[in-house]
Amino acid sequence: MGVKKRWLFVTLGGVLVLSVLTGCAGEKVAPTEAEPSVTAPIPESIPRLPAIPVQEVSMEEAEGIVGVSLTPEYLPAGWKFQRGFVWYYSSPPRANLSLYFSDEEMLGEVKTIQDFDSLPYKIVLNVYQVVKVPSPDIYETMAQESGKVVDINETKGWLSSGGQDLRWRLPGLRFFMYVAVELPEEEILRIAESIG
């Protein structure tokens, strides 16, 4: 359960950062004279992020949204695609997809990304439509902190030290695969390489 909450906070944090960055794009800061320092009051409780609505989609609909095949040709025995969701951000809108794979049936109503916490998944594949191209050495930089650079179908990626987070890119898309169970590194990479 703690692993799922960690993923939820990572996802919410990413969405919040993207919304702040897109909202601030193009703003200019006017030079000011020395301003007196102001101490902001500390809130008594941390406000909750607003609920972000999601729409359930089939695998075919998800693939149609991003224009590439997302169905892994390889998954561990008994695992399959269970549920998929899309939500949009930015202007013009760009899609976020969350695709859930498991050997357990996933029931329950999911209306917002906050509801993802109740899904009993083994792997979630998040696919984000992106416009900006990152630095070509982004994964080397990440590997200096932790994890390592990996090869996914001749594309650089990054695998966390614990093997639970795998990230890679294709033109216009960013992939983030989160593995909620222990799998050997070779099997995690095999799943990722079978996508697309």
Side-chain angles (χ1 to χ4, degrees):
M1 190 66 130
V3 170
K4 291 180 184 178
K5 287 185 180 180
R6 178 176 157 223
W7 176 86
L8 178 62
F9 288 123
V10 168
T11 302
L12 289 174
V15 170
L16 181 60
V17 167
L18 287 171
S19 64
V20 168
L21 289 177
T22 56
C24 294
E27 288 184 14
K28 294 183 180 177
V29 178
T32 60
E33 295 181 23
E35 296 179 9
S37 64
V38 177
T39 305
I42 299 172
E44 292 182 19
S45 65
I46 298 172
R48 286 186 52 135
L49 291 173
I52 299 170
V54 298
Q55 175 186 346
E56 190 150 2
V57 293
S58 67
M59 180 60 82
E60 293 76 21
E61 291 169 323
E63 291 174 337
I65 290 169
V66 295
V68 298
S69 175
L70 300 172
T71 304
E73 291 180 18
Y74 170 76
L75 284 170
W79 294 17
K80 64 180 182 177
F81 171 73
Q82 295 287 343
R83 296 179 81 174
F85 302 91
V86 63
W87 71 96
Y88 295 90
Y89 67 94
S90 187
S91 181
R94 292 191 300 270
N96 285 330
L97 293 169
S98 290
L99 308 173
Y100 289 86
F101 302 88
S102 184
D103 57 353
E104 298 178 48
E105 192 174 4
M106 294 184 184
L107 303 173
E109 189 172 50
V110 177
K111 292 187 172 186
T112 69
I113 63 172
Q114 286 82 353
D115 298 329
F116 289 167
D117 192 35
S118 65
L119 298 176
Y121 64 90
K122 299 292 192 290
I123 288 179
V124 61
L125 176 66
N126 292 305
V127 183
Y128 306 99
Q129 288 181 321
V130 294
V131 175
K132 293 184 179 180
V133 177
S135 166
D137 62 349
I138 186 169
Y139 296 122
E140 285 85 354
T141 303
M142 291 170 68
Q144 289 175 359
E145 296 293 322
S146 69
K148 66 180 184 177
V149 175
V150 293
D151 179 73
I152 301 167
N153 298 328
E154 300 181 7
T155 300
K156 284 184 187 178
W158 174 84
L159 181 65
S160 67
S161 297
Q164 290 185 308
D165 300 339
L166 177 62
R167 300 169 193 218
W168 73 100
R169 292 177 177 267
L170 291 176
L173 299 174
R174 181 169 51 97
F175 292 84
F176 170 46
M177 189 167 79
Y178 183 77
V179 183
V181 294
E182 285 190 34
L183 284 179
E185 177 181 314
E186 301 78 32
E187 195 158 16
I188 293 169
L189 293 174
R190 184 177 173 191
I191 294 167
E193 289 171 349
S194 76
I195 297 170

